[in-house]
Amino acid sequence: MFLLFSSLENISSAQGQLHHNTTTGMWTGAASMASLWVASGPTIASFMFAWAMIQQYCPRAVVRFFQKYWSRLMNYFHPYIQISIHEFAGERLKSSEAFTAIESYLSKNSSNTAKRLKAEIGKDSTNLVFSMDDHEKVTDEFQGVKVWWVLNRTGSSTNSDNSYSPDRRYYSLTFHKKHRSLVTEPYLKHVLSEGKEIRVRNRQRKLYTNGSGGRWSYHHTMWSHIVFEHPATFDTIAMEAEKKQEIIDDLLTFTSSKDFYARIGKAWKRGYLLFGPPGTGKSTMIAAIANLLNYDIYDLELTAVKNNTELRKLLIETTSKSIIVIEDIDCSLDLTGQRKKKEKKSEDDEKEKPPKESSNKEDDTSSKVTLSGLLNFIDGIWSACGGERLIIFTTNYVEKLDPALIRTGRMDKHIELSYCSFESFLVLAKNYLNLETHPLFDQIKELMEDVKITPADVAENLMPKSPKDDIEKRLLKLIQTLQGAKEAAIIKESQEVSTAGSTITDLQLQTEGSSSS
């Protein structure tokens, strides 16, 4: 150690001599400077070797002790303060909103000053959004004060207890300590607010799913995603205008009611139940809601969730301004009011049948999400971990669902999507044919009053199948389909009447026979 400091003192004195000789126009100090660096090389190498031996053989507690107090000593003389903002907060269950806001804020400056950039597709896939790459440094200025941002990444490592620690990303903000109050209060508030606005403007909305088979790890999410590009809007939905406007007003009122929900003490979320026959546009309605509100969609596949704990983790990882969707809730799990009856029946069957080894394996792979776990997911304490969320259930058979699942407070608004009316047909005609009126519309209106047909079936008939399919040909095809459905309904009704008549006749004969006997 003494040799090292002696060498450093000699180098410093040589630097002073070099400066003095340079000012006088002489360069003799350069040779002595180079010779001193060469002479101090073995000393520095010896010091590094000794330090490596200390780190390897000295007890870890002693090394940490010296490192701790050495850092404190250096910080005492160091005039700069450093703040770290990590990518994942808490127990790494949730991505840090501060990190993403800072990332968006710095993307504006980094594209002009940084030398290494990352590029991602922005909103509507029409432009690229740039951000600083790992270990890149960016300078920012606020009210005449300069600060420095660095994006750091720590490499993965294996700890002494053989536990794996993956790599982490974090931003380091460095500034002079005399500007502490300015940076920690107004500057950071400015960064977060502007970063959130930039993120909303540039973000590409996403469709998430948990059905990929992945499992939550230390810092990787349980959700996988793709870019959400569904074109559906409320203008293209085949529905009565009055009912459509009612849904739009309800959604827009929800998005502007943050203060209201806080005042009444409720989590800022709302539940929607979409029900109706297949092909009535439930999935299209969800896409239209997402496009109206500019929300992400989390398509939750309940059968891929192992248990209630995993369901809770999935909820925690969802973000604000999002829609959590469970489609065909009646088919996802056994969540109906008949559960107790089915469980009792299965217990009786198990008593009669011998136990099988394969049944245990099936139980291990099947989902153990319960009705109680799902109810807590919707409106339990954990449901308040984020704001501005919609929870949407869809079903073809609303009567199969447990009343506790769809009561007001969980599914606040029930929306029935039924068969296609003539008003809905006019919307489809405008979308598919660019047509607002036609002589065949009167005949279609008359048939629709007597026939039940879904918007999906109407749209299929209006879809061109070849270049020769003109407007009139497609309308005639729809009329033919409606007439066929009407004839099938008449035949079915006559068969039901005939069956009912024969049943009554049989009952009368049985009654007469019993009377005569």
Side-chain angles (χ1 to χ4, degrees), residues 181 209 212 231 339 380:
S181 59
T209 180
S212 60
R339 169 171 296 205

Side-chain angles (χ1 to χ4, degrees), residues 120-127 129 198-208 224-233 284-298 319-323:
E120 296 180 357
I121 296 178
K123 189 175 182 180
D124 301 327
S125 302
T126 57
N127 62 325
V129 178
I198 294 173
R199 184 167 175 255
V200 171
R201 289 198 303 266
N202 295 337
R203 77 183 182 114
Q204 174 66 64
R205 286 182 300 118
K206 298 173 183 177
L207 172 62
Y208 294 85
S224 58
H225 68 268
I226 60 173
V227 175
F228 179 73
E229 296 179 327
H230 200 292
T233 65
T284 305
M285 171 66 73
I286 294 171
I289 292 174
N291 286 326
L292 174 69
L293 303 180
N294 199 25
Y295 282 7
D296 292 326
I297 296 179
Y298 289 85
T319 61
S320 300
K321 293 184 179 294
S322 62
I323 304 173

